[in-house]
Amino acid sequence: MSSATVTVSSRGVERIFSGHPWIYRSDMSGPVEVEAGAVVSVQDRRRRYLGQALYSSKSQIALRFLTREKTPFDRAFLTQRIQAAADYRSQVVKDSEAYRMVAAEGDLLPSLIIDRYGDYFVVQTLSQGMEKLKTVITEILREQFSPRGILERNDVAVRSLEGLEQTKGVLAGEAVNEVVVTMNGLRFAFNLLEGQKTGGFLDQRENQRAAKGYAYGRALDCFTYAGGFAVTLSARCESMLGIDSSEEALRMAQRNADLNNLSNIEWKQANCFDFLKAADQSGGRFDTIVLDPPAFARQRSNLDSALRGYKELNLRAMKILNPGGYLITCSCSYHVTESDFLSAIASAAVDAHRTVTVVERRTQSRDHPILLTVPETHYLKCLILRVL
Ligand code: SAH
């Protein structure tokens, strides 16, 4: 698949040597006359070989490294990378048929996401290069895993940075919308074509399982989506209230409660900020609260307002927790570091006049690998706190 050669500046070389797979357009040397999305050989100004990368003609990220080796990045190479990713999942994923099988940079397959929901795969190709490889990837998945269906959820905004259109649908096999699979030993329905992301928030799977170990009493799951935390925790709780602003999400949540014969969960369509404020004023109290809001800082420029948002949300939750209660609080904003997040929570604790212990400091599930030299691959923070 590799043909043309491109040259990078010394700053680009430094970046590759530091272990980061992205080269920005400003670190390319000289004009580039390469087909959009091609696999290219990369060299430095002295023509020393650096590796092979996907080239983008549109994005600020001009090159995404695939390998530093000389072995051609062909179908066999791609198959081996996908298989290696799948093998790792068989080591770390337990009691779940839904998981991220290929997590882009985290599996050395930049801009490629493959989520597995039982017999179905959902693929996202988020750069020109991966888009070009989509047919080959589909063939490899059929050959290696014989799924019933392969879908694409390429209806994601980042694709516009690559000049790619928004699209979703079936790539191979059966068309399906809802699939029911096991996750953490429970049954969950996922809408692969209509749900958020590729159907579910698979990165929270291990945090849901961990949180289950602490949950008790009257529980509240804010930003519940399809009830991931609420359904997982409810067997340990007297009652569970799941809140989301989306009616469609709550329909799925009810479906998930029914699939597991859970009768102690109620769902409420509301804005979580408003709900928490009203609960504080009316004296509503809980023993377990989960906060899993959408990313507040999608760009670095939103950092300050995001931190204010996290503080406010956590402050309100702390005020309505009974002594000894658990707060499971998350941030999926990459731009908010764990230390920023801890500071915002600490400040909330001070204002709420509560003493808080950190029981667990967690991150995304292990099927979303974190590359030590690629900070962007560590985005989810999940703290399990005990509020005295
Ligand atoms: N906890 C879920 C994932 C949550 S995703 C899980 O584990 O699967 C974030 C959810 O927050 C989305 O379902 C979105 O509809 C909802 N949401 C966004 N803003 C909201 C708000 N202000 N109040 C209530 N829900 C909100």
Side-chain angles (χ1 to χ4, degrees), residues 196 201 204 208 223-225 229 244-246 270-272 292 294:
Q196 296 190 33
F201 292 82
Q204 289 287 23
Q208 290 161 356
F223 310 92
T224 191
Y225 182 53
F229 278 97
D244 203 280
S245 54
S246 155
N271 178 322
C272 291
D292 182 22

Side-chain angles (χ1 to χ4, degrees), residues 183 188 190 196-197 199-205 208 221-230 232 243-247 249-250 268-275 290-296 313 330 332:
M183 191 165 73
F188 281 92
F190 292 95
Q196 296 190 33
K197 295 187 119 189
F201 292 82
L202 302 176
D203 49 5
Q204 289 287 23
R205 182 175 45 81
Q208 290 161 356
D221 180 16
C222 290
F223 310 92
T224 191
Y225 182 53
F229 278 97
T232 310
I243 300 188
D244 203 280
S245 54
S246 155
E247 197 183 336
L250 293 177
K268 186 179 168 67
Q269 188 182 1
N271 178 322
C272 291
F273 284 90
D274 298 343
F275 174 86
V290 179
L291 299 175
D292 182 22
F296 289 160
L313 199 60
C330 311
C332 58

Side-chain angles (χ1 to χ4, degrees), residues 1-28:
M1 297 179 197
S2 169
S3 52
T5 299
V6 299
T7 307
V8 298
S9 69
S10 50
R11 217 170 54 180
V13 174
E14 256 172 53
R15 201 164 158 82
I16 298 161
F17 286 167
S18 77
H20 205 292
W22 298 347
I23 300 292
Y24 293 102
R25 195 159 302 282
S26 51
D27 294 335
M28 306 278 293

Side-chain angles (χ1 to χ4, degrees), residues 1-2 39-42 49-54 64-74 77:
M1 297 179 197
S2 169
V39 176
V40 294
S41 285
V42 187
Y49 178 82
L50 294 167
Q52 294 163 73
L54 295 174
R64 290 179 170 83
F65 262 71
L66 295 162
T67 179
R68 304 283 318 279
E69 314 272 303
K70 286 202 164 142
T71 323
F73 191 85
D74 56 11
F77 199 141

Side-chain angles (χ1 to χ4, degrees), residues 253-314:
Q254 180 60 48
R255 170 116 176 83
N256 289 329
D258 292 344
L259 280 169
N260 296 285
N261 300 316
L262 297 166
S263 54
N264 63 339
I265 315 183
E266 272 180 50
W267 308 105
K268 186 179 168 67
Q269 188 182 1
N271 178 322
C272 291
F273 284 90
D274 298 343
F275 174 86
L276 290 170
K277 192 172 182 183
D280 183 25
Q281 282 161 0
S282 68
R285 290 293 175 268
F286 295 89
D287 302 299
T288 305
I289 299 180
V290 179
L291 299 175
D292 182 22
F296 289 160
R298 291 193 196 278
Q299 291 144 10
R300 185 168 298 282
S301 55
N302 300 139
L303 184 60
D304 287 343
S305 71
L307 289 173
R308 281 195 298 277
Y310 288 118
K311 177 179 171 182
E312 182 183 337
L313 199 60
N314 283 276

